[in-house]
Amino acid sequence: MARVVVDVMPKQEILDPQGQAVAAALPRLGFEGISEVRQGKRFELEVADDVDDATLAQIAETLLANPVIENFVVRRAEA
């Protein structure tokens, strides 16, 4: 078995109201120097060793991410 991580983030041109809310809250909580926050999603999958990268990309594109407004990265994690 292998662990695969899929990180999904809104595309840069897409508004991110959750990230903006976090960015606005940081100075009120005493944290300075943060100019932008983008919020995304992380998925961890346990997959059989014979599942290939093309299949993983297809899973990410069709189920885990909305490719119209989100980018995704699929990577195999270290054991």
Side-chain angles (χ1 to χ4, degrees):
M1 295 298 274
R3 179 175 299 264
V4 173
V5 175
V6 180
D7 292 313
V8 180
M9 293 295 294
K11 291 184 176 182
Q12 195 62 37
E13 62 271 14
I14 300 298
L15 293 177
D16 181 6
Q18 291 175 307
Q20 291 172 342
V22 171
L26 289 171
R28 291 193 306 267
L29 296 172
F31 299 103
E32 300 296 330
I34 309 298
S35 60
E36 183 180 6
V37 176
R38 305 283 292 169
Q39 181 174 331
K41 300 177 278 191
R42 175 186 166 112
F43 297 91
E44 294 184 4
L45 294 78
E46 293 288 332
V47 301
D49 291 329
D50 61 346
V51 176
D52 65 8
D53 291 344
T55 300
L56 294 170
Q58 186 178 15
I59 290 168
E61 185 173 11
T62 58
L63 181 62
L64 305 179
N66 178 348
V68 173
I69 61 170
E70 296 173 317
N71 293 319
F72 64 88
V73 176
V74 178
R75 60 186 166 83
R76 293 182 185 265
E78 295 292 323

mmCIF file of all heavy atoms in Angstrom, residues 1-37:
data_model
loop_
_atom_site.group_PDB
_atom_site.id
_atom_site.type_symbol
_atom_site.label_atom_id
_atom_site.label_comp_id
_atom_site.label_asym_id
_atom_site.label_seq_id
_atom_site.Cartn_x
_atom_site.Cartn_y
_atom_site.Cartn_z
ATOM 1 N N MET A 1 0.849 -1.189 0.000
ATOM 2 C CA MET A 1 0.000 0.000 0.000
ATOM 3 C C MET A 1 0.886 1.241 0.000
ATOM 4 O O MET A 1 1.955 1.252 0.589
ATOM 5 C CB MET A 1 -0.895 0.013 1.233
ATOM 6 C CG MET A 1 -1.911 -1.114 1.310
ATOM 7 S SD MET A 1 -3.103 -1.111 -0.013
ATOM 8 C CE MET A 1 -4.318 -0.016 0.633
ATOM 9 N N ALA A 2 0.390 2.264 -0.641
ATOM 10 C CA ALA A 2 1.099 3.538 -0.702
ATOM 11 C C ALA A 2 0.166 4.647 -0.233
ATOM 12 O O ALA A 2 -1.051 4.543 -0.372
ATOM 13 C CB ALA A 2 1.560 3.813 -2.130
ATOM 14 N N ARG A 3 0.743 5.674 0.331
ATOM 15 C CA ARG A 3 -0.037 6.849 0.736
ATOM 16 C C ARG A 3 0.140 7.912 -0.343
ATOM 17 O O ARG A 3 1.249 8.238 -0.735
ATOM 18 C CB ARG A 3 0.423 7.390 2.076
ATOM 19 C CG ARG A 3 -0.375 8.631 2.506
ATOM 20 C CD ARG A 3 0.002 9.091 3.889
ATOM 21 N NE ARG A 3 -0.269 8.054 4.864
ATOM 22 C CZ ARG A 3 -1.375 7.981 5.603
ATOM 23 N NH1 ARG A 3 -2.309 8.902 5.492
ATOM 24 N NH2 ARG A 3 -1.547 7.010 6.469
ATOM 25 N N VAL A 4 -0.990 8.427 -0.813
ATOM 26 C CA VAL A 4 -0.998 9.485 -1.827
ATOM 27 C C VAL A 4 -1.676 10.696 -1.223
ATOM 28 O O VAL A 4 -2.699 10.582 -0.553
ATOM 29 C CB VAL A 4 -1.753 9.023 -3.099
ATOM 30 C CG1 VAL A 4 -1.913 10.150 -4.084
ATOM 31 C CG2 VAL A 4 -1.034 7.837 -3.724
ATOM 32 N N VAL A 5 -1.081 11.853 -1.443
ATOM 33 C CA VAL A 5 -1.639 13.108 -0.950
ATOM 34 C C VAL A 5 -2.072 13.936 -2.155
ATOM 35 O O VAL A 5 -1.313 14.086 -3.122
ATOM 36 C CB VAL A 5 -0.603 13.885 -0.105
ATOM 37 C CG1 VAL A 5 -1.147 15.237 0.302
ATOM 38 C CG2 VAL A 5 -0.193 13.073 1.110
ATOM 39 N N VAL A 6 -3.294 14.455 -2.094
ATOM 40 C CA VAL A 6 -3.801 15.351 -3.133
ATOM 41 C C VAL A 6 -4.105 16.687 -2.467
ATOM 42 O O VAL A 6 -4.932 16.758 -1.551
ATOM 43 C CB VAL A 6 -5.083 14.786 -3.798
ATOM 44 C CG1 VAL A 6 -5.581 15.737 -4.878
ATOM 45 C CG2 VAL A 6 -4.829 13.392 -4.369
ATOM 46 N N ASP A 7 -3.394 17.719 -2.881
ATOM 47 C CA ASP A 7 -3.633 19.073 -2.393
ATOM 48 C C ASP A 7 -4.448 19.820 -3.438
ATOM 49 O O ASP A 7 -4.089 19.830 -4.624
ATOM 50 C CB ASP A 7 -2.313 19.807 -2.144
ATOM 51 C CG ASP A 7 -1.539 19.216 -0.971
ATOM 52 O OD1 ASP A 7 -2.166 18.998 0.082
ATOM 53 O OD2 ASP A 7 -0.334 18.965 -1.113
ATOM 54 N N VAL A 8 -5.540 20.437 -3.004
ATOM 55 C CA VAL A 8 -6.445 21.164 -3.895
ATOM 56 C C VAL A 8 -6.506 22.608 -3.414
ATOM 57 O O VAL A 8 -6.748 22.864 -2.237
ATOM 58 C CB VAL A 8 -7.858 20.532 -3.886
ATOM 59 C CG1 VAL A 8 -8.794 21.303 -4.811
ATOM 60 C CG2 VAL A 8 -7.794 19.063 -4.275
ATOM 61 N N MET A 9 -6.259 23.542 -4.320
ATOM 62 C CA MET A 9 -6.281 24.970 -3.986
ATOM 63 C C MET A 9 -7.106 25.722 -5.028
ATOM 64 O O MET A 9 -7.107 25.353 -6.208
ATOM 65 C CB MET A 9 -4.861 25.545 -3.994
ATOM 66 C CG MET A 9 -3.966 25.009 -2.898
ATOM 67 S SD MET A 9 -4.507 25.471 -1.249
ATOM 68 C CE MET A 9 -4.271 27.230 -1.281
ATOM 69 N N PRO A 10 -7.789 26.793 -4.598
ATOM 70 C CA PRO A 10 -8.490 27.605 -5.598
ATOM 71 C C PRO A 10 -7.469 28.240 -6.547
ATOM 72 O O PRO A 10 -6.358 28.582 -6.132
ATOM 73 C CB PRO A 10 -9.214 28.673 -4.780
ATOM 74 C CG PRO A 10 -8.717 28.559 -3.388
ATOM 75 C CD PRO A 10 -7.946 27.301 -3.255
ATOM 76 N N LYS A 11 -7.842 28.347 -7.796
ATOM 77 C CA LYS A 11 -6.968 29.027 -8.754
ATOM 78 C C LYS A 11 -6.750 30.458 -8.295
ATOM 79 O O LYS A 11 -7.587 31.044 -7.611
ATOM 80 C CB LYS A 11 -7.580 28.997 -10.159
ATOM 81 C CG LYS A 11 -7.586 27.607 -10.752
ATOM 82 C CD LYS A 11 -8.106 27.609 -12.176
ATOM 83 C CE LYS A 11 -8.007 26.208 -12.748
ATOM 84 N NZ LYS A 11 -8.456 26.152 -14.142
ATOM 85 N N GLN A 12 -5.613 31.028 -8.662
ATOM 86 C CA GLN A 12 -5.227 32.358 -8.182
ATOM 87 C C GLN A 12 -6.266 33.425 -8.539
ATOM 88 O O GLN A 12 -6.506 34.332 -7.753
ATOM 89 C CB GLN A 12 -3.855 32.746 -8.743
ATOM 90 C CG GLN A 12 -3.212 33.903 -8.035
ATOM 91 C CD GLN A 12 -2.932 33.627 -6.558
ATOM 92 O OE1 GLN A 12 -2.568 32.518 -6.180
ATOM 93 N NE2 GLN A 12 -3.113 34.623 -5.728
ATOM 94 N N GLU A 13 -6.921 33.292 -9.684
ATOM 95 C CA GLU A 13 -7.882 34.312 -10.105
ATOM 96 C C GLU A 13 -9.258 34.154 -9.442
ATOM 97 O O GLU A 13 -10.134 34.992 -9.611
ATOM 98 C CB GLU A 13 -8.029 34.316 -11.629
ATOM 99 C CG GLU A 13 -8.553 33.030 -12.209
ATOM 100 C CD GLU A 13 -7.486 32.003 -12.559
ATOM 101 O OE1 GLU A 13 -6.328 32.134 -12.124
ATOM 102 O OE2 GLU A 13 -7.828 31.051 -13.293
ATOM 103 N N ILE A 14 -9.438 33.089 -8.673
ATOM 104 C CA ILE A 14 -10.708 32.832 -7.991
ATOM 105 C C ILE A 14 -10.674 33.466 -6.603
ATOM 106 O O ILE A 14 -9.705 33.296 -5.857
ATOM 107 C CB ILE A 14 -10.969 31.312 -7.873
ATOM 108 C CG1 ILE A 14 -11.041 30.660 -9.253
ATOM 109 C CG2 ILE A 14 -12.230 31.032 -7.072
ATOM 110 C CD1 ILE A 14 -12.160 31.175 -10.142
ATOM 111 N N LEU A 15 -11.734 34.189 -6.249
ATOM 112 C CA LEU A 15 -11.822 34.769 -4.915
ATOM 113 C C LEU A 15 -11.842 33.655 -3.867
ATOM 114 O O LEU A 15 -12.423 32.602 -4.081
ATOM 115 C CB LEU A 15 -13.073 35.628 -4.786
ATOM 116 C CG LEU A 15 -13.112 36.904 -5.621
ATOM 117 C CD1 LEU A 15 -14.450 37.601 -5.439
ATOM 118 C CD2 LEU A 15 -11.966 37.831 -5.246
ATOM 119 N N ASP A 16 -11.232 33.932 -2.720
ATOM 120 C CA ASP A 16 -11.157 32.962 -1.634
ATOM 121 C C ASP A 16 -11.648 33.627 -0.353
ATOM 122 O O ASP A 16 -10.865 34.121 0.450
ATOM 123 C CB ASP A 16 -9.709 32.481 -1.486
ATOM 124 C CG ASP A 16 -9.533 31.448 -0.394
ATOM 125 O OD1 ASP A 16 -10.538 31.008 0.193
ATOM 126 O OD2 ASP A 16 -8.378 31.085 -0.119
ATOM 127 N N PRO A 17 -12.980 33.686 -0.150
ATOM 128 C CA PRO A 17 -13.503 34.395 1.021
ATOM 129 C C PRO A 17 -13.053 33.798 2.347
ATOM 130 O O PRO A 17 -12.844 34.529 3.311
ATOM 131 C CB PRO A 17 -15.013 34.321 0.861
ATOM 132 C CG PRO A 17 -15.281 33.333 -0.204
ATOM 133 C CD PRO A 17 -14.033 33.166 -1.002
ATOM 134 N N GLN A 18 -12.870 32.488 2.416
ATOM 135 C CA GLN A 18 -12.397 31.890 3.671
ATOM 136 C C GLN A 18 -10.962 32.320 3.962
ATOM 137 O O GLN A 18 -10.625 32.657 5.094
ATOM 138 C CB GLN A 18 -12.498 30.374 3.616
ATOM 139 C CG GLN A 18 -13.935 29.882 3.621
ATOM 140 C CD GLN A 18 -14.011 28.384 3.449
ATOM 141 O OE1 GLN A 18 -13.454 27.829 2.516
ATOM 142 N NE2 GLN A 18 -14.713 27.740 4.358
ATOM 143 N N GLY A 19 -10.131 32.316 2.953
ATOM 144 C CA GLY A 19 -8.758 32.780 3.131
ATOM 145 C C GLY A 19 -8.715 34.250 3.504
ATOM 146 O O GLY A 19 -7.912 34.665 4.354
ATOM 147 N N GLN A 20 -9.573 35.061 2.886
ATOM 148 C CA GLN A 20 -9.627 36.485 3.212
ATOM 149 C C GLN A 20 -10.072 36.707 4.652
ATOM 150 O O GLN A 20 -9.555 37.590 5.337
ATOM 151 C CB GLN A 20 -10.564 37.208 2.248
ATOM 152 C CG GLN A 20 -10.025 37.283 0.833
ATOM 153 C CD GLN A 20 -11.041 37.824 -0.151
ATOM 154 O OE1 GLN A 20 -12.239 37.857 0.112
ATOM 155 N NE2 GLN A 20 -10.543 38.253 -1.307
ATOM 156 N N ALA A 21 -11.014 35.898 5.141
ATOM 157 C CA ALA A 21 -11.473 36.024 6.521
ATOM 158 C C ALA A 21 -10.350 35.697 7.497
ATOM 159 O O ALA A 21 -10.166 36.382 8.509
ATOM 160 C CB ALA A 21 -12.678 35.117 6.765
ATOM 161 N N VAL A 22 -9.587 34.668 7.200
ATOM 162 C CA VAL A 22 -8.454 34.313 8.055
ATOM 163 C C VAL A 22 -7.411 35.428 8.030
ATOM 164 O O VAL A 22 -6.892 35.839 9.074
ATOM 165 C CB VAL A 22 -7.834 32.966 7.627
ATOM 166 C CG1 VAL A 22 -6.530 32.698 8.366
ATOM 167 C CG2 VAL A 22 -8.817 31.832 7.851
ATOM 168 N N ALA A 23 -7.106 35.949 6.841
ATOM 169 C CA ALA A 23 -6.122 37.028 6.720
ATOM 170 C C ALA A 23 -6.559 38.261 7.500
ATOM 171 O O ALA A 23 -5.738 38.933 8.131
ATOM 172 C CB ALA A 23 -5.897 37.371 5.242
ATOM 173 N N ALA A 24 -7.854 38.567 7.492
ATOM 174 C CA ALA A 24 -8.358 39.730 8.224
ATOM 175 C C ALA A 24 -8.311 39.507 9.734
ATOM 176 O O ALA A 24 -8.124 40.460 10.499
ATOM 177 C CB ALA A 24 -9.786 40.044 7.790
ATOM 178 N N ALA A 25 -8.466 38.265 10.179
ATOM 179 C CA ALA A 25 -8.475 37.967 11.613
ATOM 180 C C ALA A 25 -7.073 37.961 12.219
ATOM 181 O O ALA A 25 -6.919 38.255 13.411
ATOM 182 C CB ALA A 25 -9.144 36.620 11.855
ATOM 183 N N LEU A 26 -6.072 37.641 11.449
ATOM 184 C CA LEU A 26 -4.721 37.509 12.000
ATOM 185 C C LEU A 26 -4.226 38.765 12.715
ATOM 186 O O LEU A 26 -3.747 38.667 13.854
ATOM 187 C CB LEU A 26 -3.745 37.068 10.908
ATOM 188 C CG LEU A 26 -3.918 35.616 10.451
ATOM 189 C CD1 LEU A 26 -3.063 35.339 9.225
ATOM 190 C CD2 LEU A 26 -3.575 34.649 11.571
ATOM 191 N N PRO A 27 -4.323 39.968 12.110
ATOM 192 C CA PRO A 27 -3.848 41.161 12.833
ATOM 193 C C PRO A 27 -4.634 41.423 14.118
ATOM 194 O O PRO A 27 -4.056 41.858 15.119
ATOM 195 C CB PRO A 27 -4.046 42.304 11.830
ATOM 196 C CG PRO A 27 -4.111 41.649 10.498
ATOM 197 C CD PRO A 27 -4.699 40.289 10.734
ATOM 198 N N ARG A 28 -5.927 41.123 14.100
ATOM 199 C CA ARG A 28 -6.726 41.315 15.315
ATOM 200 C C ARG A 28 -6.279 40.383 16.439
ATOM 201 O O ARG A 28 -6.470 40.677 17.615
ATOM 202 C CB ARG A 28 -8.212 41.077 15.011
ATOM 203 C CG ARG A 28 -8.830 42.145 14.128
ATOM 204 C CD ARG A 28 -10.356 42.061 14.110
ATOM 205 N NE ARG A 28 -10.877 40.751 13.757
ATOM 206 C CZ ARG A 28 -11.217 40.363 12.536
ATOM 207 N NH1 ARG A 28 -11.083 41.194 11.519
ATOM 208 N NH2 ARG A 28 -11.708 39.162 12.317
ATOM 209 N N LEU A 29 -5.679 39.267 16.062
ATOM 210 C CA LEU A 29 -5.190 38.312 17.049
ATOM 211 C C LEU A 29 -3.718 38.547 17.397
ATOM 212 O O LEU A 29 -3.124 37.755 18.135
ATOM 213 C CB LEU A 29 -5.381 36.881 16.531
ATOM 214 C CG LEU A 29 -6.840 36.465 16.318
ATOM 215 C CD1 LEU A 29 -6.917 35.123 15.615
ATOM 216 C CD2 LEU A 29 -7.564 36.411 17.656
ATOM 217 N N GLY A 30 -3.140 39.611 16.862
ATOM 218 C CA GLY A 30 -1.761 39.961 17.194
ATOM 219 C C GLY A 30 -0.706 39.404 16.268
ATOM 220 O O GLY A 30 0.479 39.508 16.550
ATOM 221 N N PHE A 31 -1.109 38.812 15.155
ATOM 222 C CA PHE A 31 -0.145 38.261 14.194
ATOM 223 C C PHE A 31 0.040 39.257 13.057
ATOM 224 O O PHE A 31 -0.914 39.607 12.365
ATOM 225 C CB PHE A 31 -0.636 36.922 13.647
ATOM 226 C CG PHE A 31 -0.817 35.877 14.712
ATOM 227 C CD1 PHE A 31 -2.084 35.558 15.169
ATOM 228 C CD2 PHE A 31 0.273 35.223 15.252
ATOM 229 C CE1 PHE A 31 -2.257 34.598 16.152
ATOM 230 C CE2 PHE A 31 0.108 34.267 16.234
ATOM 231 C CZ PHE A 31 -1.161 33.953 16.691
ATOM 232 N N GLU A 32 1.253 39.712 12.855
ATOM 233 C CA GLU A 32 1.559 40.709 11.822
ATOM 234 C C GLU A 32 2.418 40.087 10.725
ATOM 235 O O GLU A 32 3.052 39.060 10.920
ATOM 236 C CB GLU A 32 2.290 41.900 12.455
ATOM 237 C CG GLU A 32 1.499 42.618 13.532
ATOM 238 C CD GLU A 32 0.223 43.276 13.019
ATOM 239 O OE1 GLU A 32 0.178 43.680 11.840
ATOM 240 O OE2 GLU A 32 -0.737 43.369 13.808
ATOM 241 N N GLY A 33 2.441 40.751 9.584
ATOM 242 C CA GLY A 33 3.327 40.350 8.501
ATOM 243 C C GLY A 33 2.736 39.342 7.529
ATOM 244 O O GLY A 33 3.431 38.885 6.630
ATOM 245 N N ILE A 34 1.486 38.973 7.684
ATOM 246 C CA ILE A 34 0.842 38.035 6.757
ATOM 247 C C ILE A 34 0.002 38.857 5.783
ATOM 248 O O ILE A 34 -0.914 39.552 6.178
ATOM 249 C CB ILE A 34 -0.073 37.037 7.499
ATOM 250 C CG1 ILE A 34 0.659 36.367 8.650
ATOM 251 C CG2 ILE A 34 -0.667 36.021 6.523
ATOM 252 C CD1 ILE A 34 1.844 35.537 8.250
ATOM 253 N N SER A 35 0.333 38.777 4.499
ATOM 254 C CA SER A 35 -0.358 39.620 3.528
ATOM 255 C C SER A 35 -1.471 38.889 2.779
ATOM 256 O O SER A 35 -2.386 39.524 2.257
ATOM 257 C CB SER A 35 0.640 40.196 2.521
ATOM 258 O OG SER A 35 1.301 39.151 1.831
ATOM 259 N N GLU A 36 -1.404 37.566 2.712
ATOM 260 C CA GLU A 36 -2.429 36.828 1.980
ATOM 261 C C GLU A 36 -2.548 35.421 2.546
ATOM 262 O O GLU A 36 -1.554 34.819 2.941
ATOM 263 C CB GLU A 36 -2.091 36.738 0.486
ATOM 264 C CG GLU A 36 -3.158 36.054 -0.335
ATOM 265 C CD GLU A 36 -2.814 35.976 -1.819
ATOM 266 O OE1 GLU A 36 -1.712 36.343 -2.221
ATOM 267 O OE2 GLU A 36 -3.692 35.520 -2.561
ATOM 268 N N VAL A 37 -3.766 34.915 2.564
ATOM 269 C CA VAL A 37 -4.041 33.538 2.974
ATOM 270 C C VAL A 37 -4.937 32.916 1.917
ATOM 271 O O VAL A 37 -5.917 33.527 1.490
ATOM 272 C CB VAL A 37 -4.737 33.479 4.362
ATOM 273 C CG1 VAL A 37 -5.103 32.046 4.717
ATOM 274 C CG2 VAL A 37 -3.873 34.105 5.438
#
